[in-house]
Amino acid sequence: MRKRRLTYALVMGVVSKTLAVTVQWLALPLALKALGTERYAAFLALQALVAWASLLALGLAPSLPRFVSAASVANDRDLQRNIFQTAIIYLFAACVAFALVMLALGYFVSPSKLVAIHGVAPGQIFSAYKAVVLLTCFQLIGSVAPSIRGGYQELHYSYTWAAIANLMVMVGLFHFTSGTSTIVTFLITIYGPLTALMLIDMVLISIQRPYLVRGGVQLVQTGKRLAPQAGNALAAQFSYFLVSFLPTLIVAHLAGTQATAAFGSIMQVLILAGSGMNLIYQPLVPAIANAYAHHDRLWVRRAYFRAASLVTLICGTGLLIDIFFGEFLLHRWLGADFLIPPLLTLMLGIYFSIWMINVMHFNFLAATGSLHRVGKAYLIEGLLSISLGTLLTHFFGTTGMAAGLVVGTACVNLWFMSLQVWRQVIRPIQA
């Protein structure tokens, strides 16, 4: 059963991620062409401004599969219901608070000032700001669906919805380029379909397992059960925000619009590539959690070495392509006039490789419930990366920010996470 469902998830994941890569590959150059450099930079900066909202989930997304899987293996329906309802109730309350605070902030401080973009009409920026806040809220609530599916080893459902959403986005992009081009239109075109379908999947989960929504919920007790694992996952997500989205805002304030467009575009490519790498991690996490719940440690060990070999091969190949063809490919993609500072693609390519190794180790530790002290390491990594990046941006522009990210990620979790996997996952199996 575990192997069959892993196969389902891998097949649908390939379809979903292929469509996602195609959509994003088309979306950014189309957006740059249709919106222009100023509005395109505003789109990137607005994304970065609200990206921290993912922290409101308090690490639930990477933590839930392990707990749901354990409850499912034990056939404990009460615990499954408590986990499901606790996650939804908390996320709904968090999103209401986030929306109220961010919308109120937008009325007191001009969103144009928040994102340091002054070449676009303030009214258009404000409309886009409200749209991105509301879309982020719905995305956050829907984000629990793949985690619950993962706990039941049903990620093929989530991947199917994602594939349908990407097809809808492709259709929407053609309309976007032929009609009136605004930041709001582009935001809804890109993020609206998947958000809506994830919310629909939440309803479908409730229909398939009606016991999840029938009966009371022990919020405090369930929260205490989830807190230790989720707390470390939250710290990791906070670090991810620091190194993936905050740098774009810092560059926007320190280096100007052209630099923001260049740096933000490459970071979008890396985030897209990281999402593609989830094709490896996401199906593995529920499978590992299931194997761990069944005390099948040998399967976990074999899965780790296979995943490590595949990640090393992909990152090594990608880095070689980046070294020899990175700047050329970006110019072919975004246009010959697009300004890319020397060494920027190389530095961010190295950063991506280190980042992916860290993510692989994090997912294995999360799936086995071994995130002890990982949260502290991620906080140190994020703060070190941003501090160095901000300092170096003053002297070397966007290349300095990229160098700060490389040094920060290499100095902390590249060795610490490897050591934790050896101690918590591999060595106990050998013993």
Side-chain angles (χ1 to χ4, degrees):
M1 176 68 75
R2 183 192 310 145
K3 184 177 180 180
R4 184 170 71 250
R5 291 192 173 183
L6 177 58
T7 301
Y8 290 160
L10 286 171
V11 171
M12 288 310 303
V14 169
V15 174
S16 172
K17 294 300 181 182
T18 300
L19 288 172
V21 169
T22 303
V23 164
Q24 294 296 327
W25 196 256
L26 291 172
L28 291 184
L30 285 175
L32 180 59
K33 181 179 179 181
L35 295 175
T37 301
E38 295 287 346
R39 287 189 296 171
Y40 176 68
F43 161 72
L44 294 174
L46 284 168
Q47 276 189 310
L49 181 65
V50 299
W52 67 270
S54 62
L55 303 177
L56 295 175
L58 294 182
L60 286 175
S63 302
L64 286 179
R66 173 179 175 265
F67 289 101
V68 173
S69 180
S72 179
V73 168
N75 198 29
D76 189 339
R77 291 191 170 188
D78 290 339
L79 181 56
Q80 293 174 56
R81 181 181 66 250
N82 284 331
I83 293 172
F84 183 77
Q85 291 191 25
T86 297
I88 293 177
I89 291 170
Y90 169 73
L91 286 174
F92 181 80
C95 286
V96 170
F98 170 77
L100 291 175
V101 170
M102 293 301 291
L103 292 176
L105 176 64
Y107 281 100
F108 286 103
V109 181
S110 171
S112 297
K113 293 182 179 179
L114 291 175
V115 297
I117 301 294
H118 306 290
V120 183
Q124 188 173 155
I125 295 280
F126 188 48
S127 297
Y129 175 79
K130 290 186 289 185
V132 79
V133 167
L134 295 177
L135 275 170
T136 299
C137 289
F138 290 121
Q139 283 179 317
L140 192 59
I141 295 173
S143 68
V144 76
S147 298
I148 298 295
R149 290 292 188 191
Y152 292 117
Q153 273 202 280
E154 294 177 348
L155 270 178
H156 51 284
Y157 280 94
S158 297
Y159 284 140
T160 300
W161 288 120
I164 295 171
N166 284 317
L167 290 173
M168 294 170 65
V169 172
M170 286 184 183
V171 174
L173 283 174
F174 286 108
H175 174 74
F176 173 78
T177 55
S178 62
T180 303
S181 302
T182 66
I183 304 173
V184 173
T185 304
F186 187 67
L187 284 166
I188 294 174
T189 300
I190 293 294
Y191 299 114
L194 182 59
T195 301
L197 291 178
M198 287 299 99
L199 293 174
I200 290 172
D201 195 32
M202 293 290 291
V203 176
L204 181 59
I205 292 172
S206 302
I207 295 173
Q208 291 174 329
R209 295 177 174 84
Y211 60 84
L212 292 176
V213 293
R214 293 176 183 170
V217 56
Q218 298 176 333
L219 286 172
V220 176
Q221 182 179 340
T222 307
K224 289 180 178 179
R225 180 188 293 267
L226 298 175
Q229 174 92 345
N232 282 283
L234 172 63
Q237 289 179 322
F238 178 70
S239 177
Y240 172 74
F241 162 73
L242 287 180
V243 300
S244 297
F245 295 98
L246 189 58
T248 302
L249 280 177
I250 294 172
V251 168
H253 283 273
L254 297 180
T257 300
Q258 289 288 344
T260 303
F263 185 86
S265 294
I266 299 176
M267 288 298 292
Q268 287 293 310
V269 173
L270 298 188
I271 292 170
L272 171 62
S275 176
M277 292 293 284
N278 280 333
L279 177 59
I280 301 171
Y281 308 134
Q282 283 183 339
L284 267 181
V285 168
I288 293 166
N290 181 269
Y292 203 79
H294 283 96
H295 306 289
D296 190 353
R297 306 297 176 84
L298 184 60
W299 192 94
V300 175
R301 181 173 181 265
R302 285 199 298 259
Y304 171 76
F305 284 113
R306 288 172 181 171
S309 299
L310 184 57
V311 169
T312 302
L313 176 63
I314 292 173
C315 289
T317 303
L319 192 55
L320 287 175
I321 294 173
D322 177 39
I323 291 171
F324 293 104
F325 305 106
E327 189 171 343
F328 169 77
L329 291 174
L330 281 171
H331 278 142
R332 292 285 294 176
W333 179 41
L334 295 172
D337 297 331
F338 199 69
L339 299 177
I340 303 173
L343 297 180
L344 179 60
T345 57
L346 174 60
M347 296 301 296
L348 288 179
I350 295 172
Y351 161 68
F352 177 79
S353 299
I354 299 172
W355 173 31
M356 285 301 100
I357 293 171
N358 292 348
V359 170
M360 177 187 68
H361 287 155
F362 172 82
N363 277 285
F364 270 84
L365 292 172
T368 57
S370 306
L371 287 179
H372 179 60
R373 295 193 301 171
V374 169
K376 293 179 181 179
Y378 263 110
L379 289 176
I380 294 171
E381 176 191 284
L383 293 172
L384 177 61
S385 299
I386 288 301
S387 299
L388 282 174
T390 302
L391 176 64
L392 294 175
T393 300
H394 282 284
F395 300 100
F396 306 105
T398 54
T399 305
M401 175 60 76
L405 296 177
V406 170
V407 173
T409 51
C411 285
V412 184
N413 276 323
L414 183 60
W415 66 269
F416 177 75
M417 297 278 277
S418 302
L419 184 61
Q420 287 296 96
V421 168
W422 171 257
R423 287 175 173 174
Q424 304 297 332
V425 179
I426 299 174
R427 192 172 65 179
I429 298 172
Q430 292 179 330

